[in-house]
Amino acid sequence: MARSRKVTVSTDAHGHTAGWAEAGPAATPPEPDPTAAAFFDVDNTMMRGASIYWFARGLAARDYFTTGDLARFGWQQLRFRLLAREHAGDMSQAKQAALAFIEGWRVDDVERLAEEIFDELMAPRIWAGTRGLAQRHLDSGERVWLVSAAPVEIGRVIATRLGLTGAIGTVAEIVDGAYTGRLVGDLMHGPAKAEAVTQLAAVEGLDLARCAAYSDSANDLPLLSTVGRAVAVNPDGVLLRRAREHGWEVRDFRTGRRAVKVAVPSTAAAGLLAGAVSAGLALHRRRRAD
C-alpha cells in the first residue's frame, strides 16, 4: 500500500556458518486499520540529541559560523538539561530565536542542507529500537508521523529518510519561496502538539483512541494523554513517574549510566540554539559581503 507524504495540518543504522529452514506457510498479515496511526516525538525519542543541534553542527562544518559558536550551543543545551524545567520567558525567547533563524532563507536551501546533514550526522543517531517500533506500525498498514518542535521542513526530511508518512512541526511563513521570519501559529511544543494531532486526526479520519504516541519528555504529556496508547521512550524522570502511574508502556534504549546522562533538550533550548545559529548566519552573510 502506498504511503502518502502529506506534512501539513489544518489552521525532520546504518567466519560463522548460516543455515536456513522454511517455517511453513506465512501468516496472513492483519487487515490495515485506516483509523489507526502512530505519532513519534523526534529529539531523544527517535534520535539521540536535538535535531536542531545536529543541524547547527552541520552548518558549522560548512563554515556558516565558528566552532566557538557551536561550543556555546552545547553549553545552552547543558544548561537547560540541568534546569530540567521551562519558563514562559524562555519560550518567548525560543519563539523569537526561531523567527531569526529562518528569516531570509530559501526553503529549498534549508531542505537541501537538512538532507545533507541528516545523512552525515543524524542518521547514525537514530535509535534502532524506536525506528523498529515505527516500522511495526508501518508493517501493520498504519501511518506514522513525526511530531517535533523543529521546523516542519526538517521534520519532513527526517520522515522521508526514514520512510515514514510525514511530519508535524513548527510552521514558518513563506513568501515567494523564502521565509519571512514570522511563524504561522506557535511553536509545536507541549499542548500545541496535542492540538495539531487532533486536527490531523479530523482531516485524516483517525480515531485517536486507536492511535499511539511515543515521547521521552514530560513536555509531551498532553500528546500522550490524547491517544489510546501512550509509550514512554527513553523517558525523563517526570515522564517515567507518570507512565508508571498510568500503566503506560516504557521503552528505554539507553544502557547503564548512559540512561542517566543522556540529555533531554527542551524546546526552549532548541529555540536558543536556533538563535545562536541565526547569529552565526548573520555573521557569515556579513563576511561574504565584505
Side-chain angles (χ1 to χ4, degrees):
M1 182 180 70
R3 295 191 294 272
S4 168
R5 289 188 175 179
K6 289 179 64 177
V7 299
T8 56
V9 297
S10 298
T11 34
D12 163 45
H14 282 206
H16 293 291
T17 301
W20 292 264
E22 293 189 11
T28 302
E31 286 293 324
D33 183 351
T35 68
F39 303 94
F40 285 78
D41 172 53
V42 176
D43 297 348
N44 282 326
T45 300
M46 183 59 74
M47 67 181 296
R48 291 187 290 273
S51 55
I52 191 66
Y53 174 76
W54 296 115
F55 188 60
R57 282 282 300 268
L59 292 177
R62 289 159 175 78
D63 296 325
Y64 280 93
F65 45 85
T66 70
T67 54
D69 295 324
L70 191 59
R72 284 190 288 275
F73 303 162
W75 165 246
Q76 289 162 348
Q77 188 179 33
L78 176 62
R79 173 177 176 267
F80 278 90
R81 186 198 336 178
L82 295 175
L83 287 174
R85 62 181 182 271
E86 297 186 18
H87 306 286
D90 292 330
M91 291 308 300
S92 176
Q93 292 177 3
K95 182 172 181 177
Q96 293 172 10
L99 294 171
F101 173 45
I102 59 177
E103 184 175 4
W105 276 67
R106 296 201 59 80
V107 178
D108 52 1
D109 288 335
V110 170
E111 292 182 334
R112 172 181 56 80
L113 287 165
E115 289 172 352
E116 295 176 4
I117 293 169
F118 176 85
D119 294 339
E120 295 171 8
L121 298 175
M122 298 183 192
R125 292 171 172 84
I126 295 296
W127 291 106
T130 310
R131 180 67 186 85
L133 294 174
Q135 189 61 47
R136 289 184 188 179
H137 288 281
L138 295 173
D139 291 344
S140 296
E142 298 176 11
R143 289 164 285 179
V144 178
W145 278 275
L146 297 178
V147 188
S148 175
V152 69
E153 288 79 15
I154 294 178
R156 177 169 59 194
V157 167
I158 298 173
T160 298
R161 285 295 199 262
L162 296 180
L164 309 181
T165 307
I168 297 171
T170 298
V171 179
E173 184 182 68
I174 300 170
V175 175
D176 296 330
Y179 297 108
T180 66
R182 294 184 293 271
L183 294 184
V184 177
D186 215 330
L187 288 172
M188 190 56 60
H189 171 264
K193 287 187 178 182
E195 293 170 7
V197 165
T198 299
Q199 292 169 4
L200 180 63
V203 172
E204 298 289 336
L206 300 175
D207 180 356
L208 289 175
R210 301 183 65 81
C211 293
Y214 300 76
S215 178
D216 72 297
S217 174
N219 294 322
D220 286 337
L221 282 169
L223 170 62
L224 294 169
S225 300
T226 298
V227 298
R229 178 176 172 234
V231 183
V233 179
N234 306 326
D236 62 28
V238 175
L239 179 57
L240 181 58
R241 288 193 296 272
R242 293 295 294 272
R244 288 170 174 169
E245 291 172 0
H246 291 285
W248 293 344
E249 183 179 353
V250 176
R251 295 293 190 101
D252 200 326
F253 302 116
R254 303 164 296 179
T255 58
R257 294 179 62 188
R258 184 174 181 81
V260 178
K261 292 182 177 181
V262 170
V264 185
S266 67
T267 299
L272 288 176
L273 287 171
V277 174
S278 68
L281 294 177
L283 177 59
H284 179 70
R285 287 193 290 266
R286 288 199 299 270
R287 286 173 176 168
R288 282 186 170 179
D290 291 342

